[in-house]
Structure formats: structure tokens, C-alpha cells
Amino acid sequence: MSGLVIEQLSKTYDRQPVLEDLNLEVEAGGLQVVLGPSGCGKSTLLRLISGLETPDRGKIILDGRDITDLEPQKRKTAMVFQNYALYPHMTVFDNIAFPLKVTRTPKGELVKIVGETAKLLELDKLLDRRPAQLSGGQRQRVALGRGLVRQPSIFLLDEPLSNLDAALRMKMRQEIVALQKRLGITMIYVTHDQIEALTMADRMIVLKDGHLRQNGTPSEIYNNPQDSFVASFIGTPPINLFEDEIKNGAMKKLPIQFGHDIKDGHYQIGIRPEYIILDAQGSIAGKIVSREYIGAVSYIKIRVNDLLITVTAESDNEKYKNGQPLRLTVDYRNILLFDHNTGKRIVI
Ligand code: ADP
Ligand code: MG
């Protein structure tokens, strides 16, 4: 199979497990995102794939070849870091050409490859500049170009946009996806930013404490989270997550009746803010506590009994006043239930 297969990959630092039994398949030509909070093992995963670290256990197979014990230079992987690590005193040309010089590529061939790569990345007019004379986006492309000339089987990007301001980040994530699709390269993109993950991924995994929590497409992960961590890590504003008792198919803290039997007991309840609907006939009575106007919609915090819930509502400046009473409704089919103790999803 072409693409990347990772089997039961494990790594421990100072007896502390950092990655445990990770399994992952990345299809050739796919953009795989690895999402997780800081310290969950994302960079370690990329360093194991690129050969900068050795795993304690497990296998890494790239395009059908077991590369687990191969030297980094022989793996056909290319890594792009957060700070791009460009050589400031070198021109764009020399930065892109650097890996080819290391492998003593003949001059004629080197000039040809760098020229083609620069054209592909629309850097061909900038070859004489130094990194300081480039925009953030152009620097990013030089870093990609330096990887591309090695003709890697897979590109590994480690939080490449975290140093950029919000507007440039948004532009760059589209640019990277467009480039990845145009070139048909296989890519693993690491980020702690859930919006970046949702917007860029063909498929994504969510990591926590070195464990894979879920693997799926962005919409599978958003709509069908397998545990309360994944549910709460993804979504803007975050999902409403609280403990409640269900008895005879009715919730206690929010008066909602399920349409079928639910086992009596305590649950973690998850309701996405967009599924709570302002409705004068709704069964739930609450009071507005605060409102965040963000243009297209407003996020309203509403107190219902002891519960504070967030609702995504239409954006009407005048309508929502602090202290104002209102009624809400939730279709029980949009409620996610999780095990009270383990946080594991209970499909109803
Ligand atoms: P992430 O990239 O998701 O933020 P890392 O993979 O960098 O996380 O680190 C995962 C964990 O492993 C962290 O707790 C970190 O402190 C630890 N770690 C990373 N590299 C080393 C190392 N060389 N020696 C010891 N501990 C390390
Ligand atoms: Mg990292």
C-alpha cells in the first residue's frame, strides 16, 4: 500500500509514556491532521516518523517499506517546523537548494530542480531575496520548497502557522491545503488549533496524553465525538457539558424528555450551542446572563436553574438584554450522552 502505516507505535521518555500503541493509516495524497493539546505527543510522533527519535515499540511503514530503523536521510520524509528554520544569510535559491547541496547533486540538475520547485511555489521571482525580505507566507513556501526538492514521500508539518497573526494564519491554511491538493503530496499536519484541524483535514486524529482518542473526518469528529474530551476540545463556542440525572427518560437540570427509554442514572450531557433554540413555546425557562456579539451570530449565556449554558443565536443587537427571561427548546436527538465516570460516548 502506498502512503503511511503506523502500527502500535510507543515511546517513553524517562519512564513516562509519551505515545502508547498508536495506530494510524495515512492514504497517499491525503492531508492527515493530528490535533491535541500541548504536550500530548504530537511533535514526538513526527520525530519518530522522520527518524529523529527511535520508538520503543511499533512499526512505521512508508509506501510499503518498513522505515522504522532507517536513518533519517534515507526515509523520504520532509519536516517543516513552526519557525521554518530558514538560513537567514542565504538567498531563497540557496535555502531551497540546501538539501541538494548536502547530497552533492550535480550543479545542472540542482539549478533545474530548484527552478521548477520555485515556479511551482510562485517563488521564481524572489530567488535572490533573503528570508528577511519575504512575507510570512513566502517564507512558509520557501520552507516547503526546501522539503519538496528532496522529493519526499510524505511531508510532516509541525504547527507551521503558530507564529503568524490571525489573518495570515487563515490565508496560509488555505494556501497549504491548495498546494497539497495541487501537488498531490501526502501530508501530516500537526496543530493544537481545532479550527485549523477542522478546516484543513481530509482526516484527523485527536490525541490526548499520548493516546489516540478518535480518528475520522472533521464532520465525523464534530458530530459524532466518541468521548467527552473530544466533544469539548472541538467546537466554537465549546459544547455545553454538564452532569445530570435521567429518570424515566427525562433530564433533571434541563426539562427535556427523550423520545424513547434511556437507562435511569447519572450521565455527562453534551449539547452543542447551535442546537439550543430560542423558542417562545419551549419547555425550558431561563434568563440571559451575558451576550457576545460577533457579527453573524451572538453567543448568549443563559442561566437555567443552576446551570449556565451557551446558545448560538441569530445576531440581533437589540433583542438580547441581560436579565431578560426567555424560553428554549432542544431536540433530544441532538443531545450527546457520555458515561458519567469514563466519559465514553453512549449512543442512544
Ligand atoms: P506536543 O508536540 O504535543 O506539544 P511533545 O511530543 O513535544 O508534545 O511532548 C510530549 C511529552 O513528551 C511532553 O510531556 C514532553 O515534555 C515530553 N518530551 C518531549 N521530548 C522529550 C525529551 N527529549 N525528553 C524528555 N521528555 C520529552
Ligand atoms: Mg509540539
Side-chain angles (χ1 to χ4, degrees):
M1 173 197 154
S2 63
L4 179 77
V5 179
I6 289 173
E7 289 172 5
Q8 299 194 300
L9 199 65
S10 303
K11 177 72 181 171
T12 304
Y13 285 122
D14 313 325
R15 272 182 266 149
Q16 192 67 32
V18 176
L19 276 183
E20 278 193 281
D21 272 338
L22 187 89
N23 295 293
L24 177 65
E25 286 190 19
V26 182
E27 214 186 317
L31 200 168
Q32 171 74 51
V33 168
V34 176
L35 173 70
S38 174
C40 72
K42 303 183 296 296
S43 295
T44 302
L45 174 60
L46 292 192
R47 294 168 64 81
L48 288 167
I49 297 169
S50 65
L52 300 173
E53 291 284 354
T54 322
D56 301 338
R57 213 148 32 82
K59 263 192 193 165
I60 305 168
I61 298 152
L62 184 57
D63 289 343
R65 190 168 68 133
D66 187 336
I67 61 164
T68 318
D69 300 315
L70 218 57
E71 295 167 43
Q73 307 87 304
K74 296 192 175 154
R75 291 195 179 201
K76 305 199 83 183
T77 60
M79 199 139 155
V80 177
F81 301 94
Q82 181 176 338
N83 53 11
Y84 317 144
L86 298 179
Y87 301 106
H89 58 284
M90 287 189 195
T91 61
V92 169
F93 183 96
D94 287 333
N95 265 287
I96 295 176
F98 191 80
L100 300 173
K101 286 193 178 145
V102 172
T103 55
R104 299 182 198 284
T105 307
K107 183 86 197 271
E109 200 183 330
L110 178 146
V111 171
K112 184 164 167 278
I113 296 174
V114 174
E116 284 169 1
T117 306
K119 196 149 200 173
L120 209 60
L121 295 166
E122 294 170 34
L123 292 168
D124 41 329
K125 306 243 161 30
L126 307 172
L127 285 169
D128 295 330
R129 296 212 190 158
R130 286 170 211 283
Q133 300 166 303
L134 300 175
S135 71
Q138 289 164 339
R139 270 180 232 157
Q140 176 78 63
R141 275 183 268 148
V142 177
L144 287 170
R146 195 175 50 181
L148 270 181
V149 296
R150 300 177 51 211
Q151 297 184 291
S153 295
I154 193 163
F155 248 101
L156 309 170
L157 275 67
D158 195 352
E159 312 223 24
L161 306 183
S162 8
N163 282 346
L164 307 179
D165 66 58
L168 187 55
R169 264 209 315 269
M170 221 159 129
K171 179 163 173 280
M172 282 311 298
R173 69 187 189 218
Q174 289 169 356
E175 230 179 81
I176 290 175
V177 172
L179 191 70
Q180 183 269 334
K181 295 282 176 281
R182 190 152 55 86
L183 305 181
I185 43 183
T186 314
M187 186 178 276
I188 299 186
Y189 187 98
V190 156
T191 181
H192 65 272
D193 179 334
Q194 50 108 8
I195 304 263
E196 229 167 80
L198 292 176
T199 52
M200 294 181 72
D202 292 324
R203 297 187 62 84
M204 57 191 276
I205 58 171
V206 183
L207 280 188
K208 174 150 197 284
D209 301 335
H211 288 268
L212 192 154
R213 290 301 193 92
Q214 194 166 347
N215 181 347
T217 63
S219 79
E220 280 165 3
I221 300 233
Y222 182 78
N223 293 307
N224 207 4
Q226 293 306 295
D227 62 42
S228 56
F229 170 75
V230 173
S232 62
F233 197 66
I234 289 161
T236 315
I239 192 167
N240 293 289
L241 196 64
F242 55 92
E243 301 213 359
D244 203 0
E245 193 183 349
I246 297 182
K247 215 172 167 183
N248 301 323
M251 280 167 54
K252 229 173 193 170
K253 291 184 183 164
L254 287 184
I256 297 171
Q257 183 73 44
F258 285 84
H260 49 73
D261 276 351
I262 307 273
K263 196 166 164 264
D264 284 358
H266 287 268
Y267 295 87
Q268 283 187 58
I269 312 274
I271 312 177
R272 297 244 177 241
E274 66 271 26
Y275 289 134
I276 304 176
I277 313 291
L278 305 186
D279 170 7
Q281 260 73 54
S283 63
I284 307 163
K287 238 182 202 159
I288 297 181
V289 173
S290 66
R291 180 181 61 97
E292 269 184 302
Y293 172 79
I294 62 153
V297 290
S298 285
Y299 304 143
I300 310 176
K301 281 217 177 351
I302 297 174
R303 185 170 296 288
V304 180
N305 303 320
D306 287 340
L307 212 58
L308 200 57
I309 54 176
T310 305
V311 176
T312 302
E314 62 186 289
S315 169
D316 190 331
N317 249 328
E318 299 307 309
K319 211 153 99 187
Y320 313 117
K321 301 250 173 356
N322 289 355
Q324 177 191 326
L326 42 63
R327 301 194 78 85
L328 307 163
T329 189
V330 178
D331 186 330
Y332 72 90
R333 283 167 295 197
N334 291 325
I335 296 178
L336 302 174
L337 293 190
F338 303 98
D339 185 279
H340 176 62
N341 297 311
T342 63
K344 285 254 174 299
R345 175 80 179 281
I346 299 167
V347 178
I348 51 167

